[in-house]
């Protein structure tokens, strides 16, 4: 995405009622001072908010993908050779299924308590992640998220194990070997 610098002004101090945009240092590209949205920028954001189609339930947490750092050092010690499943979920799945795993009624099913996440049919679970899913009219359709993002067996294992152990889920973890065998089969 290109930067739309002309929608913002740089000022030494804020006038009353003005909002400062807290741009992280690595994105300031030499800009000093306070970055303030113009009238056009605020109108644009107001318009984008007005496009909201599905009403968010009140306890939906904000999606954590903006400016996300690559990896966290802490985490589940048994999965220490795997990528960070929480970060992969945040980037690839949370926009629809939500950070709290509860989905959105009428659009995206919950993964919290999901029979697929907690069940034994690992081939179906992996096929959904790699190739997408659209069996039910009451939900939107899920695109081929995994194929589009070129997920490796390690990525898929990390995401599945994160989902099986989050939001109160308590499913049996899977290994990279199991996942790789299924990914080779469904390719
Ligand atoms: C663009 C939105 C979108 C994204 C991104 C997305 N999904 Fe989905 N997902 C859906 C929809 C919609 C369904 C339900 C489709 C249906 O039943 O018709 C679904 C269904 C599922 C199911 C089945 C749940 C159940 O209990 O039926 C699983 C598991 C799942 N998704 C996992 C994931 C994972 C893991 C990711 C990230 C790698 C992901 N999804 C990314 C939209 C999305």
């Amino acid at each position: 995405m290109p930067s739309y610098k002309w929608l913002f002004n740089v000022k030494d101090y804020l006038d009353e009622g003005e909002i400062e945009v807290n741009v992280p240092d690595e994105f300031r590209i030499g800009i000093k001072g306070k970055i303030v949205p113009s009238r056009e920028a605020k109108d644009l954001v107001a318009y984008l908010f007005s496009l909201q189609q599905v009403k968010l339930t009140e306890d939906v947490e904000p999606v954590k993908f903006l400016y996300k750092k690559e990896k966290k050092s802490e985490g589940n010690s048994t999965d220490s050779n795997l990528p960070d499943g929480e970060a992969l979920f945040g980037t690839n799945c949370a926009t629809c299924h939500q950070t709290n795993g509860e989905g959105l009624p009428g659009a995206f099913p919950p993964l919290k308590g999901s029979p697929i996440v907690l069940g034994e049919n690992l081939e179906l679970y992996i096929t959904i992640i790699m190739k997408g899913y659209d069996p039910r009219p009451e939900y939107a359709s899920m695109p081929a998220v995994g194929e589009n993002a070129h997920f490796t067996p390690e990525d898929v294992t990390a995401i599945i194990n994160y989902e099986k152990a989050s939001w109160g889920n308590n499913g049996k973890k899977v290994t990279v070997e199991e996942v790789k065998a299924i990914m080779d089969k469904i390719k």
Side-chain angles (χ1 to χ4, degrees):
M1 176 166 166
S3 84
Y4 293 81
K5 279 192 287 199
W6 58 90
L7 288 175
F8 300 85
N9 302 312
V10 178
K11 302 181 64 176
D12 291 329
Y13 56 89
L14 298 179
D15 284 323
E16 208 178 311
E18 267 182 342
I19 325 160
E20 179 180 4
V21 187
N22 286 314
V23 179
D25 286 345
E26 64 263 44
F27 293 96
R28 293 184 77 98
I29 37 174
I31 298 169
K32 296 201 172 60
K34 302 192 184 301
I35 299 176
V36 178
S38 66
R39 176 66 197 261
E40 285 78 10
K42 287 194 276 190
D43 288 350
L44 182 58
V45 170
Y47 171 67
L48 292 174
F49 272 130
S50 78
L51 295 177
Q52 183 79 58
Q53 290 177 22
V54 179
K55 196 171 179 306
L56 294 172
T57 46
E58 270 174 12
D59 55 354
V60 171
E61 293 168 41
V63 178
K64 303 181 205 155
F65 55 79
L66 279 179
Y67 308 131
K68 181 121 189 147
K69 288 281 188 296
E70 278 295 283
K71 265 178 199 177
K72 279 195 294 186
S73 52
E74 86 263 31
N76 195 327
S77 56
T78 55
D79 294 336
S80 56
N81 295 327
L82 291 176
D84 184 340
E86 182 179 7
L88 283 168
F89 179 85
T91 311
N92 298 286
C93 322
T95 37
C96 295
H97 294 289
Q98 307 299 306
T99 312
N100 63 9
E102 290 177 14
L104 287 173
F108 311 118
L111 300 184
K112 176 181 177 175
S114 153
I116 302 217
V117 174
L118 296 170
E120 297 291 319
N121 191 343
L122 188 57
E123 182 169 328
L124 175 61
Y125 193 173
I126 293 173
T127 307
I128 291 174
I129 294 177
M130 293 307 291
K131 296 175 182 280
Y133 199 43
D134 192 16
R136 292 167 294 193
E138 69 267 32
Y139 290 119
S141 60
M142 174 165 158
V145 176
E147 284 184 354
N148 295 341
H150 304 290
F151 280 166
T152 62
E154 286 77 12
D155 295 335
V156 174
T157 309
I159 293 174
I160 288 179
N161 285 344
Y162 171 71
E163 293 177 351
K164 279 179 179 284
S166 300
W167 323 297
N169 283 353
N170 192 9
K172 204 167 131 278
K173 296 223 170 161
V174 296
T175 64
V176 177
E177 291 70 35
E178 284 174 273
V179 171
K180 183 169 186 314
I182 292 172
M183 284 175 71
D184 289 342
K185 185 176 153 200
I186 65 169
K187 209 177 266 169

